[in-house]
Amino acid sequence: GCHGSSPPVWLCAGICMRGTAEEVVMESIHQCGDALEYAYEELRSDEEVVTEEVRKRGDALEFACEELRSDKEVVMEAVRQCGYALEYACEELRR
C-alpha cells in the first residue's frame, strides 16, 4: 500500500537514483499521493507541491508548512478532497 510508517521504497530509490528531490516528490504524488509526509521541509513549503498533493489526498495538509496551512486556496483544495482536512488548517481558517 501507499501509506506505511516509513518512506516508501520507491521514494527512497527515486531520490538516490534520479532527478531532483522536487521532481521525485512530484512524480510520487502522481503515483500515490503520500509523498508530502516524507518530503524535505523546503518541499513542504512549496505551494505547487503542496497543492498537487492535497488535491489527491486532502489530509496531507497536515504535513504542509504553517504558511500554507494558512493559505485559503490551499486549504480549500484540501477540504474539497477530504472534509476533515480542515482540522489541519490554521485556527483562523477553521472558524
Side-chain angles (χ1 to χ4, degrees):
C2 289
H3 308 288
S5 60
S6 61
V9 172
W10 51 263
L11 181 58
C12 296
I15 289 172
C16 294
M17 295 172 65
R18 64 171 176 80
T20 65
E22 184 173 5
E23 290 169 340
V24 172
V25 169
M26 291 302 286
E27 179 60 27
S28 64
I29 287 169
H30 291 293
Q31 297 295 319
C32 187
D34 69 346
L36 195 59
E37 183 174 354
Y38 305 107
Y40 295 111
E41 186 61 38
E42 65 191 53
L43 294 178
R44 292 176 183 212
S45 301
D46 184 301
E47 186 174 358
E48 179 184 355
V49 170
V50 171
T51 300
E52 185 71 22
E53 173 100 0
V54 299
R55 283 181 180 151
K56 300 229 179 231
R57 187 178 150 219
D59 63 343
L61 185 63
E62 175 183 7
F63 305 106
C65 72
E66 186 175 338
E67 180 181 339
L68 292 177
R69 289 187 319 229
S70 300
D71 183 297
K72 186 176 181 178
E73 296 302 315
V74 172
V75 171
M76 290 302 294
E77 288 290 341
V79 171
R80 276 187 203 105
Q81 201 285 322
C82 176
Y84 72 85
L86 187 60
E87 74 182 79
Y88 301 117
C90 72
E91 185 177 338
E92 182 180 325
L93 293 179
R94 288 189 306 234
R95 292 183 202 165

